[in-house]
Amino acid sequence: MSDYYNFGWRKLNKSARNSGVPLNFFLPPLLNSVPFNHRPFPFSPTNHSVTVTRPFPLSHGTTTLGFIFQGGVIAAADTRASAGGLVACPAVHKITPLHSHLVVTSSGSGADCMLWERILTREIRLYQLRHRRRLSIRGAAKLLSFMLHPFKGTDVCVALTLCGWDEEGGNTGCAKRPEHSTVMTDDSSSAAISSQDVTAVACPASPNSGPKLIYVCSDGARLQGDVISVGSGSPYAYGVLDRGLSWDLSKDEAITLAREAVFRATHRDAYSGNNVDVFHVTAQGWKQRQREDLKEEYYRDMERREKIMYERKKLTQ
């Protein structure tokens, strides 16, 4: 490739790690071009390469949440995939089931999240085939953390929240028995859910059993808690959850709280919106509610507000 100063050929700098891909590119000069020092636009002669910039920054945003209550674990998320100021897809799935008792909420780069969810699903399945028992939620989170830690400081952007239920404490001396586990849905759900054969372990009650909620991000950090919200809409979701979350919520109350938290976040956050997905994880497996449109929820909320204001005004009169 010829540079800006002469018609000679220069040797390109290549990278051995990327199979000889050139590290920079040069533009050939034109025969009747204006001399370099008389060009009308500013240009740095020290930088021979031309940097191509995006027309807008590809920032990402989402709203995902999960919390534990007496009836299990609730996971909820919106369905909008954004790329900067654009809505890339209005109906993505940000909650992915990994096995019969574990779902994961994803935020960050969509491609990176899908890749690592598939890798974690493969490792969980291989563990089950080798050891004839399910990998615990803590074990899955620790495995994912170890796999992601070498990518710390890179452009990998993954933030996954593991929402699941552990039936056993990992004792190796427990009797194992095969059984047929069916993942169920609510009565209002229209999604078709398939059944799968799993190997259950007959063990006594363990402090490690029960609902688990663990957050793992792309730098290898691993945090466990009772309520976790991730994404650009998480501050708004936390405001709703801190007000109404308690341990003794019923199933319907917990689902209503999760829907309201996602709805409030999507109403204030431009990167979140469209629909809401809700999953409920118990000892019998995960259940998925039918996807709901948040726009309809907004109008229903406005009607409730107008009705309350009308009743107050009527009482004062």
Side-chain angles (χ1 to χ4, degrees):
M1 304 295 290
S2 58
D3 60 13
Y4 286 105
Y5 303 102
N6 52 58
F7 293 99
W9 294 91
R10 298 184 56 185
K11 183 178 180 182
L12 283 175
N13 295 326
K14 298 182 178 181
S15 173
R17 298 179 63 183
N18 296 332
S19 302
V21 176
L23 296 178
N24 48 12
F25 299 89
F26 300 97
L27 295 178
L30 300 177
L31 294 177
N32 298 324
S33 61
V34 182
F36 189 83
N37 53 357
H38 296 289
R39 294 187 179 184
F41 55 90
F43 197 89
S44 176
T46 58
N47 186 12
H48 299 169
S49 62
V50 177
T51 303
V52 179
T53 59
R54 299 187 182 96
F56 51 83
L58 291 179
S59 56
H60 306 282
T62 185
T63 301
T64 65
L65 60 92
F67 60 86
I68 297 175
F69 70 110
Q70 65 174 355
V73 185
I74 292 292
D78 71 306
T79 63
R80 174 177 294 178
S82 58
L86 300 179
V87 178
C89 181
V92 298
H93 294 274
K94 298 182 181 179
I95 306 179
T96 306
L98 299 188
H99 66 70
S100 60
H101 292 72
L102 174 62
V103 299
V104 59
T105 66
S106 58
S107 58
S109 176
D112 294 338
C113 291
M114 291 178 64
L115 172 65
W116 285 102
E117 286 171 1
R118 293 177 181 179
I119 293 175
L120 184 59
T121 303
R122 179 196 65 188
E123 295 298 328
I124 291 175
R125 182 58 177 164
L126 289 175
Y127 182 92
Q128 183 176 357
L129 292 174
R130 290 167 181 163
H131 301 279
R132 305 300 300 171
R133 60 188 177 93
R134 259 195 345 251
L135 180 62
S136 65
I137 310 301
R138 289 181 178 178
K142 190 173 184 179
L143 176 63
L144 179 62
S145 175
F146 285 168
M147 291 189 298
L148 285 173
H149 186 266
F151 296 91
K152 182 178 181 180
T154 64
D155 292 334
V156 175
C157 183
V158 176
L160 304 180
T161 304
L162 281 68
C163 312
W165 187 286
D166 280 333
E167 287 187 343
E168 48 89 13
N171 298 328
T172 58
C174 300
K176 303 172 185 177
R177 54 181 177 85
E179 69 176 9
H180 188 72
S181 175
T182 303
V183 181
M184 299 173 293
T185 60
D186 285 348
D187 296 335
S188 60
S189 176
S190 61
I193 307 298
S194 61
S195 303
Q196 54 180 318
D197 293 326
V198 296
T199 301
V201 182
C203 298
S206 171
N208 292 327
S209 62
K212 295 291 186 300
L213 190 67
I214 306 177
Y215 166 78
V216 181
C217 64
S218 51
D219 61 356
R222 185 173 78 253
L223 303 173
Q224 182 173 350
D226 295 332
V227 52
I228 295 176
S229 181
V230 185
S232 56
S234 60
Y236 311 105
Y238 272 126
V240 177
L241 294 175
D242 291 341
R243 180 192 63 188
L245 182 60
S246 62
W247 171 258
D248 56 351
L249 289 176
S250 65
K251 173 186 173 182
D252 294 336
E253 291 174 344
I255 293 175
T256 301
L257 178 64
R259 290 172 60 254
E260 183 182 359
V262 176
F263 158 64
R264 298 298 179 186
T266 55
H267 181 60
R268 295 296 181 183
D269 180 34
Y271 298 103
S272 306
N274 296 102
N275 305 304
V276 56
D277 288 331
V278 179
F279 280 70
H280 181 209
V281 186
T282 62
Q284 287 74 35
W286 54 264
K287 303 177 183 180
Q288 180 183 7
R289 284 179 56 89
Q290 185 177 6
R291 176 172 288 186
E292 298 175 273
D293 190 354
L294 290 172
K295 181 175 63 176
E296 298 177 359
E297 179 68 19
Y298 172 77
Y299 288 118
R300 285 195 296 265
D301 182 71
M302 293 298 294
E303 291 178 359
R304 286 193 298 266
R305 287 173 174 267
E306 291 178 358
K307 186 177 180 180
I308 293 174
M309 294 298 296
Y310 176 76
E311 291 178 354
R312 289 180 179 178
K313 185 177 180 180
K314 187 176 180 180
L315 290 175
T316 54
Q317 291 178 352

